[in-house]
Amino acid sequence: MQATLLDHDDTATTETTGPPEQPVTADEWAAHLASATPGPQTAAMLALLEREQLSTTGRIDALKAWERHVAWIQAQQVGLLADIEADALDATPNEVGWVDYDWNFACEDVACALKLSGNTAADRLAVATALEGRFPTTVSLLERGEICYLQAKAVAEVTGTLDPEAAGVVEAMVAPKMPAQSVGQTRRALNRAVLKADPLGAERRHRRRREDRTIWHRAAEDGMATWTAFLPTPQAAQLDAAVDAHAATFAEDGRTLNQKRVDALYDLVVNRPTGMDTPAGGTTPGGRSAAVVQVTVSLDTLIGVDEEPGQLKGYGPVSATAAREVAFAPGTIWRRLITHPKTGLLVKTDPTTYKPTADTQRHVIARDMTCTFPSCQMPAHRCDLDHIQPFDHENPTAGGRTEPGNLMPLCRRHHLLKHRTRWQAERNPDTGEVTWTAPTGHTYTNPPHTPTPTHIT
């Protein structure tokens, strides 16, 4: 090949050079792939990055190479997800009459296929649709491995309340800098750009986001959990101030400030101490709130014969000590349920009426604990109890019986999915497994919970 050079008197001359050297060692391949534009050809070369053959420097380059290809793969997924969402919207029936309900069940297909929660699948679909429809430059950066998926996701999320024109302005302002930024830096840059692109829309966007306020929790390891609220900033500041003020009343007993703040939050919500100011200007009457906490635990664990874990409704497994703490709390009500000696499944039969009795409802809720659609974690007590074999209102004795073996909890969305779409569900009465068949023909199995015999509320 020829390269043009300039000598000291700016006269153009030419010099012949050989072809670039081909990488040979694993380190050289790692350095090459760390900066190469990813694609099918370069992906095939990743097998050359054998860990045992890499130096420390080579391992860093290999890590960068793999990360660039991860971004390329995620860009391909973005395109597929956007197509799946578009297919679902095209297939949405308009003549059913449920005008106030979202008939797009694409997230169920994605959630089951990728083993995600429904919320995570819906988020992936929304981000992909936004990226494909509004941010071609960002998608191109992702496909070339110059940014990571979390940066692309930030572009879609931070601009979610903007109109397409303003969103395009924000992308144009931020995209050139994104390859050199971390995810946090990208988010901060996006937030600044949003204020510049639409300074008058801040209040409108705030009103929209207020509608998303919510509380959620997530079980953690070692009997702990994360409890989170998404709320307007002024309310968060007031909440912080109230927690700090109440924590300041605690004695110096060795607890850290953070420990006192958590205890203060719990005390304010659950025990409602007297004399606390209310938003209306009065004070709280005090007294423990009428909260219901439900745990399922074996009788042997309850009396201390063994240390088998219990099941705390809404959170999952807890230690035997924690289960006993809930079981012996003041005001506890115990209810005895019978289980099969081999499978551990609850067994009981009830009358053939359409509406389940309170006893049957408690039975099914304790047995299944959550919605029985794969990946859905909606607590069973917030679900509908659906007849697996349809109930015959004209001749109750000829249809499906209203008994635990023919009932399963389904959240309202998945209840409608079962009855208004081509999704089908079957429950194995021996194992408790519920198998769902998607319109695509794919099948997904929801395994049973196996609660232990004593149910305590």
Side-chain angles (χ1 to χ4, degrees):
M1 63 183 278
Q2 290 190 331
T4 300
L5 304 175
L6 293 178
D7 61 65
H8 292 293
D9 61 2
D10 295 332
T11 303
T13 61
T14 60
E15 179 181 273
T16 301
T17 63
E21 292 185 5
Q22 181 79 0
V24 177
T25 67
D27 277 8
E28 290 172 348
W29 275 111
H32 170 69
L33 293 174
S35 58
T37 300
Q41 292 77 21
T42 56
M45 300 176 186
L46 291 172
L48 299 172
L49 307 183
E50 298 183 18
R51 292 162 52 191
E52 298 78 6
Q53 304 299 321
L54 293 167
S55 67
T56 300
T57 299
R59 290 191 176 104
I60 295 297
D61 285 335
L63 188 65
K64 292 168 63 177
W66 280 105
E67 188 69 9
R68 288 177 71 90
H69 284 79
V70 166
W72 170 70
I73 290 170
Q74 289 175 319
Q76 314 313 309
Q77 284 190 318
V78 163
L80 284 172
L81 288 165
D83 290 344
I84 291 169
E85 178 78 354
D87 290 344
L89 290 174
D90 290 341
T92 298
N94 297 316
E95 69 281 356
V96 181
W98 289 71
V99 294
D100 60 341
Y101 193 78
D102 177 11
W103 279 93
N104 179 359
F105 290 106
C107 74
E108 273 68 29
D109 281 304
V110 173
C112 291
L114 302 184
K115 297 181 174 62
L116 303 174
S117 71
N119 287 338
T120 301
D123 177 70
R124 291 275 295 271
L125 285 163
V127 168
T129 300
L131 289 173
E132 280 281 302
R134 303 172 75 175
F135 304 109
T137 301
T138 300
V139 173
S140 179
L141 289 172
L142 181 65
E143 191 166 23
R144 295 200 303 270
E146 296 184 31
I147 64 173
C148 70
Y149 174 76
L150 291 180
Q151 288 175 283
K153 184 173 185 281
V155 173
E157 291 179 339
V158 176
T159 62
T161 54
L162 298 180
D163 60 61
E165 182 178 355
V169 171
V170 169
E171 183 189 39
M173 294 170 64
V174 176
K177 303 176 182 178
M178 285 170 58
Q181 292 176 330
S182 67
V183 177
Q185 290 171 332
T186 295
R187 279 195 171 272
R188 288 190 291 271
L190 285 165
N191 284 318
R192 287 192 297 269
V194 166
L195 292 175
K196 290 181 180 179
D198 187 19
L200 300 180
E203 181 57 32
R204 181 180 67 253
R205 294 193 297 272
H206 174 65
R207 287 196 300 269
R208 290 180 184 175
R209 293 306 300 274
R210 278 180 62 91
E211 297 176 1
D212 297 330
R213 60 190 184 276
T214 186
I215 291 174
W216 69 94
H217 63 259
R218 177 177 59 84
E221 294 75 31
D222 303 321
M224 303 299 286
T226 300
W227 191 84
T228 307
F230 181 72
L231 70 168
T233 303
Q235 291 184 1
Q238 290 176 319
L239 182 61
D240 276 335
V243 168
D244 287 343
H246 191 47
T249 67
F250 293 166
E252 292 297 333
D253 52 9
R255 283 180 290 180
T256 66
L257 177 59
N258 280 335
Q259 290 169 344
K260 286 183 177 181
R261 294 184 80 244
V262 171
D263 295 344
L265 177 62
Y266 175 83
D267 199 34
L268 288 170
V269 174
V270 176
N271 294 326
R272 297 185 300 175
T274 58
M276 298 298 298
D277 292 336
T278 66
T283 57
T284 59
R288 192 173 181 86
S289 62
V292 176
V293 179
Q294 180 175 301
V295 67
T296 304
V297 60
S298 73
L299 182 60
D300 285 346
T301 297
L302 193 64
I303 63 178
V305 173
D306 63 35
E307 294 295 310
E308 290 296 315
Q311 188 84 10
L312 187 63
K313 186 172 76 172
Y315 286 87
V318 293
S319 69
T321 300
R324 285 192 288 265
E325 181 180 335
V326 176
F328 291 105
T332 294
I333 299 172
W334 293 10
R335 292 191 178 95
R336 178 75 173 178
L337 300 177
I338 308 302
T339 61
H340 190 283
K342 292 183 178 179
T343 66
L345 296 175
L346 291 164
V347 291
K348 190 177 175 70
T349 57
D350 272 35
T352 52
T353 57
Y354 179 70
K355 183 176 175 59
T357 64
D359 208 24
T360 298
Q361 291 182 40
R362 284 195 296 268
H363 178 108
V364 175
I365 289 170
R367 180 194 69 197
D368 293 323
M369 299 187 185
T370 64
C371 171
T372 52
F373 186 85
S375 79
C376 185
Q377 294 300 310
M378 179 67 73
H381 68 277
R382 297 181 188 171
C383 295
D384 303 330
L385 296 191
D386 177 62
H387 287 77
I388 301 169
Q389 181 183 351
F391 184 85
D392 189 335
H393 291 272
E394 299 296 329
N395 184 7
T397 60
R401 295 169 62 86
T402 306
E403 57 187 10
N406 192 45
L407 294 172
M408 62 180 178
L410 293 176
C411 70
R412 182 54 55 89
R413 177 180 178 85
H414 295 134
H415 194 171
L416 290 173
L417 173 140
K418 176 175 177 285
H419 289 284
R420 302 287 182 175
T421 74
R422 291 184 292 117
W423 279 84
Q424 298 177 353
E426 293 183 3
R427 183 177 186 274
N428 186 316
D430 297 323
T431 65
E433 290 182 341
V434 179
T435 299
W436 289 78
T437 303
T440 60
H442 296 90
T443 59
Y444 307 98
T445 299
N446 192 58
H449 290 279
T450 53
T452 41
T454 305
H455 172 213
I456 303 145
T457 301

